[in-house]
């Protein structure tokens, strides 16, 4: 005991109000990112953008050579030609019937042929749309087009090329992902808030964020969404913060420290009673967070706890410990080491 310098204290009850501190994860917004797939089986002929390049909606990122596309285009052109001929024949028969030169039966046969040809052309056009061609692309088709199997992969949004997973000459399927494009001017900060802290969070609330990669800089956003479901395992609720990022200093995937502010921090608003212990009291044993409590002379027991927000000195305990309970405040790491050796027997 003396060598380990084990010391005790009590889990404190503390009123937490006003600003709420929590960890956050920076991510792309739901509508601000896009995975661009090949959409047609084939081979990548060229890549027309570079990693980090800004692109516009509809801009070509790469071209693919696709025999399937060439076949579908040829079917459409043949069907379109057949439909034009059938249409002209039907119109001519109508004029001849009106002049009494031709029989009405011949006109009905021409009408039926035209309707069938029109249906074939519509089906072929639907096949081109399914492969990603726009109306303007289809109208530009010509029977003698040399690059009839060439297919453009376009960006569906304005943004920055964040990932290039394709190489020239690579064989791809229709579902093969080639690029990721993201809109970095606005990002999300995702925060998990414990249910006991929910009274401190409202939509529109101002949130200050700091990241280790940009020390001394405060980023500000607002709560855009509060989740409707409590995670049964962690007892947390997802909170989404919309953060403007005009200079692109924030990067998706970064971890941030978030501080949710009340309208007037001097008037802290509703208080929440919580239990806190020194950071050193909490140890990681396997996948669980534990604190050690004395259960007899020179005997200790690890108690599983759920953690909330934290500061440089203290950690909030949301489940597993009550205010006033005695805990090990110094030397907990030594006890963890002894526990791992199984030298205390039966968890003591």
């Amino acid at each position: 005991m003396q060598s380990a310098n084990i010391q005790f204290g009590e889990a404190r009850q503390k009123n937490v109000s006003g600003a709420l501190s929590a960890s956050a994860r920076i991510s792309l917004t739901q509508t601000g990112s896009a995975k661009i797939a090949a959409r047609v089986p084939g081979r990548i002929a060229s890549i027309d953008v570079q990693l980090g390049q800004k692109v516009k909606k509809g801009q070509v990122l790469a071209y693919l050579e696709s025999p399937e596309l060439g076949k579908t285009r040829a079917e459409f052109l043949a069907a379109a030609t057949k439909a034009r001929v059938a249409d002209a024949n039907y119109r001519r028969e109508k004029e001849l019937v009106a002049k009494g030169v031709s029989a009405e039966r011949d006109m009905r046969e021409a009408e039926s042929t035209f309707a069938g040809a029109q249906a074939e052309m519509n089906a072929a056009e639907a096949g081109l749309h399914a492969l990603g061609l726009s109306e303007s692309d289809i109208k530009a088709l010509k029977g003698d087009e040399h690059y009839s199997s060439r297919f453009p992969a376009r960006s569906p949004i304005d943004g920055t090329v964040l990932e290039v997973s394709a190489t020239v000459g690579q064989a791809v399927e229709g579902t093969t992902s080639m690029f990721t494009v993201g809109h970095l001017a606005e990002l999300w900060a995702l925060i998990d808030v414990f249910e006991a802290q929910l009274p401190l969070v409202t939509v529109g609330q101002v949130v200050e964020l700091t990241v280790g990669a940009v020390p001394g800089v405060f980023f500000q956003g607002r709560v855009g969404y509060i989740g409707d479901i409590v995670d049964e395992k962690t007892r947390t609720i997802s909170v989404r913060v919309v953060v403007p990022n005009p200079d692109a200093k924030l990067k998706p995937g970064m971890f941030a420290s978030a501080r949710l502010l009340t309208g007037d921090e001097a008037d802290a608003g509703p208080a929440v009673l919580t239990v806190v212990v020194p950071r050193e009291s909490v140890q990681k044993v396997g996948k669980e967070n534990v604190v050690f409590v004395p259960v007899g002379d020179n005997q200790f027991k690890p108690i599983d706890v759920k953690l909330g927000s934290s500061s440089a000195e203290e950690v909030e305990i949301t489940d597993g410990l009550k205010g006033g309970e005695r805990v090990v405040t110094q030397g907990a790491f030594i006890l963890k080491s002894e526990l791992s050796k199984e030298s205390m027997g039966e968890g003591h």
Side-chain angles (χ1 to χ4, degrees):
M1 287 284 291
Q2 291 176 351
S3 176
N5 193 26
I6 294 176
Q7 298 181 15
F8 306 95
E10 291 185 352
R12 293 194 308 117
Q13 286 188 313
K14 182 178 179 181
N15 283 327
V16 178
S17 59
L20 171 67
S21 297
S23 298
R25 305 179 305 280
I26 305 300
S27 84
L28 294 165
T29 65
Q30 188 172 2
T31 58
S33 62
K35 292 276 190 182
I36 293 86
R39 300 195 66 171
V40 295
R43 191 173 300 276
I44 298 175
S46 67
I47 295 177
D48 293 39
V49 294
Q50 296 180 348
L51 195 65
Q53 181 177 334
K54 295 185 182 301
V55 296
K56 296 290 186 181
K57 179 179 180 180
Q59 182 173 335
V60 175
L61 307 181
Y63 281 100
L64 295 92
E65 293 291 347
S66 173
E68 180 177 327
L69 177 62
K71 178 183 177 182
T72 306
R73 275 175 160 166
E75 290 174 350
F76 169 75
L77 292 172
T81 300
K82 183 177 178 181
R84 284 197 299 271
V85 171
D87 181 35
N89 186 45
Y90 171 53
R91 291 176 183 276
R92 183 175 62 254
E93 288 295 332
K94 283 180 68 176
E95 292 177 358
L96 293 176
V97 168
K99 294 177 181 179
V101 176
S102 181
E104 185 174 347
R105 182 184 63 183
D106 295 334
M107 183 194 72
R108 296 303 178 193
E109 289 179 356
E111 182 182 13
S112 177
T113 301
F114 168 64
Q118 186 73 29
E120 290 180 13
M121 187 187 72
N122 290 340
E125 183 176 350
L128 291 175
H129 281 304
L131 292 177
L133 270 70
S134 65
E135 286 290 343
S136 58
D137 291 333
I138 294 174
K139 288 180 180 179
L141 291 180
K142 296 179 181 178
D144 59 350
E145 185 179 7
H146 181 64
Y147 296 106
S148 61
S149 64
R150 196 172 176 87
F151 177 77
R154 302 179 185 274
S155 174
I157 61 171
D158 294 343
T160 302
V161 179
L162 302 179
E163 182 182 7
V164 179
S165 53
T167 56
V168 174
Q170 176 184 351
V172 295
E173 298 297 327
T175 57
T176 302
S177 178
M178 301 190 299
F179 303 93
T180 300
V181 174
H183 182 61
L184 300 179
E186 185 177 87
L187 299 175
W188 283 348
L190 305 177
I191 304 172
D192 292 328
V193 174
F194 287 93
E195 57 182 320
Q197 300 168 329
L198 197 57
L200 299 175
V201 185
T202 58
V203 173
Q205 185 174 5
V206 176
V207 180
E208 284 186 351
L209 297 151
T210 57
V211 294
V214 193
V217 177
F218 289 87
F219 301 90
Q220 194 172 90
R222 290 186 179 272
V223 175
Y225 171 75
I226 300 173
D228 298 313
I229 300 176
V230 177
D231 188 291
E232 293 184 359
K233 293 183 179 180
T234 63
R235 308 309 302 173
T236 59
I237 299 169
S238 179
V239 173
R240 191 169 67 207
V241 179
V242 181
V243 186
N245 187 38
D247 299 326
K249 291 181 178 179
L250 291 175
K251 310 294 183 184
M254 280 182 170
F255 285 100
S257 296
R259 183 175 169 85
L260 291 82
L261 309 179
T262 62
D264 182 1
E265 288 196 77
D267 178 14
V272 176
L273 195 63
T274 188
V275 176
V276 297
V277 297
R279 290 185 68 92
E280 189 178 344
S281 295
V282 181
Q283 298 295 321
K284 194 80 171 180
V285 177
K287 295 183 179 180
E288 302 295 333
N289 292 296
V290 305
V291 298
F292 289 90
V293 300
V295 293
D297 293 340
N298 302 334
Q299 289 189 326
F300 307 90
K301 181 180 180 180
I303 301 294
D304 293 346
V305 294
K306 301 295 184 184
L307 306 184
S309 59
S310 63
S311 66
E313 297 82 21
E314 295 178 322
V315 178
E316 179 189 7
I317 305 297
T318 61
D319 188 39
L321 202 63
K322 297 179 180 180
E325 288 192 61
R326 282 172 59 78
V327 298
V328 174
T329 58
Q330 188 169 322
F333 181 77
I334 301 296
L335 295 179
K336 172 187 173 181
S337 300
E338 291 297 314
L339 182 64
S340 66
K341 297 175 186 176
E342 298 183 355
S343 62
M344 299 183 195
E346 297 184 359
H348 290 71

